[in-house]
Amino acid sequence: MSVAEPRRIVLFRHAKADWPQVSDHERPLADRGRTDAAVAGRKLADTGIPVDLALCSTATRTRETWKLAVHELPHRPKTVYEERLYEASPGEIIAVLNEIPDDVQNVVLIGHNPGVQGLADILAGSAEGDTRTRMADRDFPTAAFAVLSFDGPWKSLEPAVATLLDYWAPTE
């Protein structure tokens, strides 16, 4: 892969979680979350992005979201479960993304708010069409995802270097 080719990042918030008497890290998906995760997977497949790597928080709800979504993709990418993504700030997420090897072109990151939404806002120096307005109007509900593109190696990823290409939320 050439670093001259644009890289794409899909920032995917976990689907709707339930609130049983367990630790926050162990919260499972609610029924609606299971449905929305599969729909989000189909919408992600519709983007045509060939995902090379999935970085997923270790929380139960993110792992369940990804397990349901990935079945909708045409091929299953390598998945890394990353503890640092649980409750991560945008800066902490950028640090994880900066470590991705340059032979990886397209990444999906399954995480949590406010980090995922904050990162989409911070990275997007520009946006195509009405994507920024749609994302701002809808906020970043559960099972939503944003697609961003940037040029250069992963270690060069920093605020405002990306273009917001697409945004989808379950109520879109």
Side-chain angles (χ1 to χ4, degrees):
M1 301 267 156
S2 166
V3 294
E5 297 175 42
R7 299 185 185 281
R8 285 169 289 190
I9 307 164
V10 178
L11 298 174
F12 185 2
R13 184 177 177 197
H14 66 79
K16 182 73 175 167
D18 205 351
W19 290 94
Q21 295 295 318
V22 297
S23 72
D24 182 69
H25 191 272
E26 301 307 315
R27 288 176 47 218
L29 291 181
D31 290 341
R32 186 183 102 201
R34 285 189 283 281
T35 300
D36 287 350
V39 171
R42 286 191 291 279
K43 292 298 183 179
L44 181 55
D46 290 347
T47 69
I49 297 170
V51 177
D52 303 312
L53 175 66
L55 296 173
C56 185
S57 163
T58 56
T60 300
R61 59 192 177 274
T62 52
R63 290 183 287 119
E64 288 181 352
T65 297
W66 182 237
K67 182 178 178 181
L68 293 163
V70 74
H71 285 293
E72 304 297 330
L73 300 181
H75 80 279
R76 180 179 225 118
K78 176 182 177 183
T79 299
V80 175
Y81 295 97
E82 176 57 64
E83 289 180 15
R84 294 177 293 168
L85 296 178
Y86 178 67
E87 296 186 337
S89 70
E92 291 166 330
I93 299 171
I94 288 174
V96 171
L97 293 169
N98 287 157
E99 296 172 4
I100 296 172
D102 283 331
D103 63 341
V104 174
Q105 198 68 26
N106 302 308
V107 171
V108 60
L109 184 142
I110 308 92
H112 310 266
N113 258 7
V116 169
Q117 178 178 0
L119 184 58
D121 289 335
I122 288 168
L123 290 179
S126 62
E128 289 192 354
D130 68 345
T131 54
R132 190 185 304 273
T133 301
R134 286 184 15 248
M135 191 170 75
D137 287 349
R138 287 281 305 125
D139 223 5
F140 217 100
T142 54
F145 65 80
V147 180
L148 298 110
S149 174
F150 79 101
D151 296 318
W154 288 103
K155 65 184 176 197
S156 72
L157 183 65
E158 61 184 35
V161 300
T163 300
L164 180 63
L165 300 176
D166 198 4
Y167 169 78
W168 180 84
T171 58
E172 286 271 301

